[in-house]
Amino acid sequence: MGFFLETFLGGLMSGMLYALIGLGFVLIFKASGVFNFAQGAMVLVAALSMARFSEWIPQWLGFQNMLVANVLAFIISAALMFLLAVLIERLVLRHLVNQDLTTLLMATLGISYFLDGSGQIIFGSSVYSINVGMPKEPWLVLDSVFEGGLLINLEDLTAALIAALLVAALALFFQFTSTGRALRAVADDHQAAQSIGIPLNRIWVIVWSVAGLVALVAGIIWGSKFGVQFTLSTAALRALPVVILGGLTSVPGAILGGLIIGVGEKLSEVYLGSLVGGGIEIWFAYVLALVFLLFRPQGLFGEKIIDRV
């Protein structure tokens, strides 16, 4: 029982990170109605910025206080993601208002390749580390209840709590603020939203800025655990099944989808991996996503689109 609970908790913690990355896809889709292929590149650029500025700032200012360096690096990285959102809106999205969704989709693909290339030019192509003081030592609990106790990874627990707080804040933002309602209106119909006075350009800057902040937090957590390298941009592909499962328009769906996939990956690898030679954790999420695409393509909480002729 203790081993099962360890595996289950590990899956929940991984699932929160998946949900955090998947949330970036949901935010952009809710505001533009298009799938954002650039989300992975945004996570990469944000993580690179955090890693490099936390390394450069002590050299520039001549001190070794890593806490101050990390705070300044986070502020600079957040400002960079906001600037990136403004540039994307001014240079790309503003000129594609009311265009076909395929055009917007290809635009995000182009943005992705541009961010990958510019990130390598600006920050370098080596493997970098992020150290924000997240605890690395495991935590033994309930040793009086289960034989051997439960071993909890404190880094994963901290990351899951941070992700949960951010996800909860964004869910409240969408549900109870006028800006959140405006975002939903823009996603439904660009022209109708503009006709009632919703500033489309400002909404797009806001949502890309929020998606950039989400990418920054996800990049910091991922970089702290595994290091920052250019394969990080492909980490967003791990979140694709999350949004397929939960629904591309649902913030709660991204949360639940991430948790289901995180737990499913861990449990299937531990209890079924030996039966098929291992590797279930790699493809489990994609098989589950395929099943949903076949039988419930809108996901658990997505809006079912009905076309009437």
Side-chain angles (χ1 to χ4, degrees), residues 211-229:
L213 178 62
V214 171
L216 175 58
V217 175
I220 291 173
I221 294 173
W222 202 282
S224 177
K225 287 169 62 65
F226 307 112
V228 181
Q229 50 191 318

Side-chain angles (χ1 to χ4, degrees), residues 147-158:
E147 184 178 354
L150 293 180
L151 202 60
I152 297 177
N153 188 316
L154 282 180
E155 184 177 28
D156 287 345
L157 180 60
T158 304

Side-chain angles (χ1 to χ4, degrees), residues 28 31 40-41 48 75 94 98 108 113-114 116 159 161 188 191 214 248 267 285 295 305:
I28 301 299
L48 281 171
I75 294 172
R94 178 172 294 192
N98 298 322
T108 66
Y113 282 110
F114 174 78
D116 276 339
L161 291 175
D188 289 338
Q191 289 181 319
V214 171
L248 273 168
L267 293 179
F295 298 102
I305 300 174

